[in-house]
Amino acid sequence: MAIVCQKLPDACQHGLVPAPRRRATITSVAEAAGVATSTVSRAFSNPGRVNHVTREHVLAVAERLGYSPNPTAQALESGRTNTVALVVPDITNPYFSGVVKGAERAAAEARLTLVIGDAQENPVHEERLVRRLGAAVDGFVLTASRMPDEALQRASELNRIVLVNRASPGLTSVVADFASGTGQIVAHLASHGHRSFVFLGGPAESWSGARRWAGLHAAAAEHGLEATRFGPYTPTTASGPAAADAVLTTRATAVVAHNDVLAIGVLQRLAERGVRVPEQLSVVGFDDVFGADFCHPPLTTLAERTTEAGARAVEALAALTRPGATPTGEDAPVRVLPTQLVVRASSGPAPT
Amino acid sequence: MAIVCQKLPDACQHGLVPAPRRRATITSVAEAAGVATSTVSRAFSNPGRVNHVTREHVLAVAERLGYSPNPTAQALESGRTNTVALVVPDITNPYFSGVVKGAERAAAEARLTLVIGDAQENPVHEERLVRRLGAAVDGFVLTASRMPDEALQRASELNRIVLVNRASPGLTSVVADFASGTGQIVAHLASHGHRSFVFLGGPAESWSGARRWAGLHAAAAEHGLEATRFGPYTPTTASGPAAADAVLTTRATAVVAHNDVLAIGVLQRLAERGVRVPEQLSVVGFDDVFGADFCHPPLTTLAERTTEAGARAVEALAALTRPGATPTGEDAPVRVLPTQLVVRASSGPAPT
DNA sequence: CTGAAAGCGCTAACAA
DNA sequence: TTGTTAGCGCTTTCAG
């Protein structure tokens, strides 16, 4: 059995690799159609340079054989795959849904295939993903990348990269306006008479986490509020209890969480412990994710334009892959998207 | 400038395609190391058949040059990419998060790269995705596929396919035990004195939706309940108002929604209209997604082992891709995973 | 243990 | 307009 498998181009490899059926190749189509492979190739990717009736014929034969060009081979030749990868830290975090949706829409418009990779909140895994996928895609959108700047620089030498909610020297990026957003949050709290708040920090590597804290800190100083930072916490509801309990050791009247998922976990814990929100403690999140509007009480949170961010990032990436595009450089644009505070029932006047 | 670009293997293509930098190839490594390309190849993928010190040397040179094998080229030769695709109808639906997580874990264990595709609730888009990615991956896990059986059969001739929450003749699949699950739901309602309920159906093409209704219908007959089906509704919270309003035209004392997201939308609408849950109306969902435990009131729902489903599916796919695997056939296994009713506050005694 | 050479499926000169 | 030919980067016989 195995002995037969030597170099018989077609019959072979079947018993070994259970590839369902051998796909038709450009060669088989060319033979069946009685033309050269290059004609078949042109029929598909260069319609202008082939006789109309020849083309029809080739296409008909191809259809009959169920042929469609092998993207792997096309990619090997051209170096382009028309595929871009979107990498997110944790695909189960609903925050990234919007980014994914926007990226998909933009990819479809640019006739690009989008694949999504999950970095699993792990810089090492993220870097490996980029290495692994590097030659198989035309570029990456790295969302809230946890990779250190050096790693990003290294990766950007081999790959086209666009960042979302992360900035790094020389790299194109799309970020939310955290400066304004954190200002809105602090103004909201100040207007309600709060004098101090606790910030529940997210992962240490999180660039946006750092921006959030920096913004809150600055705005707090401006408004004469006292701001304290706790954490880091893994941004999941599971971190809620520890975070909430930590807050309750202080006399802060408000708490701002790294993101909504963490805030919701905090809310759950506070309910468990009989702390009334917002009467005793105001809670504010970031992201306005699915769930923020129906948790109890509904969460005040800073909404970002995540869909737009995903779309803009893919568009920028598509532009980078087009011939004649300027590679990254000093002038790498940072696009800032507005943010908006959505006030719901989880925040209110400070207790007197 | 462009004139220079003729066939100079290296200098070319730079001005045209702004690929950040030319990646090192097996040839450049071979030259730099003073060995043949085949030796480099073996150093990487056949460590046994190369002298230990030669191998070290090659690896060192490769490292210095930043070389890593081009998966596209490897794939072209071997037909294997060590990449599998997971396709979901809508990645923003939190239900699929568990499947993704499980698939990721299993893929990592099998040393496979996982890419995720979003079919956007569209059978046509789903089929196109399979076509597009077909040659670039070793196989597919199609989750809750909306493709008709014929399309699946066709696709399975060219690709290795494993289904999750969908069955189709001859295809391997992993499904939740809806028969038991729907029985649990109906028993729960019956034990609380409900005499009739409405089922809010999901997309018409949804296989699991059909199973859910079939199970509910059968169990209702068994318990002497009256079951009515409404819909189809798009399974998003946005469909909640229409669905809830429809239910309120009936005298049903309970409503079972196609999934949690829809159920949450219903809950929101009921609150808006002043209908008390569960005093006036019990609400039950499917999936136990993120949010089901903190919506108001917390949702009674049928929990599936989504993580396990994702993992099992990828394992099955990995097994299919291993040499010697039996291609699909009559005996294609259908693996049934248990389901469990999670009773929360959204369901209770029928109003008297 | 290592090298030479063929070829995976496709595209892009170049000729005809 | 079409065919011929030479690779893209890699793996894999087959010799040495």
Side-chain angles (χ1 to χ4, degrees), chain B residues 211-225:
Chain B
R211 305 313 310 148
R212 288 166 191 194
W213 170 239
L216 288 169
H217 192 74
E222 221 171 86
H223 285 83
L225 295 207

Side-chain angles (χ1 to χ4, degrees), chain A residues 13-28:
Chain A
Q13 286 191 346
H14 239 189
L16 305 175
V17 180
R21 196 177 74 191
R22 195 160 193 84
R23 286 165 180 273
T25 72
I26 203 171
T27 313
S28 50

Side-chain angles (χ1 to χ4, degrees), chain A residues 25-26 38 41 67 69-70 73-74 77:
Chain A
T25 72
I26 203 171
S38 46
S41 172
Y67 167 81
N70 182 332
Q74 294 187 132
E77 157 64 25

Side-chain angles (χ1 to χ4, degrees), chain B residues 26 38 41 67 74:
Chain B
I26 203 172
S38 44
S41 172
Y67 168 82
Q74 294 187 133

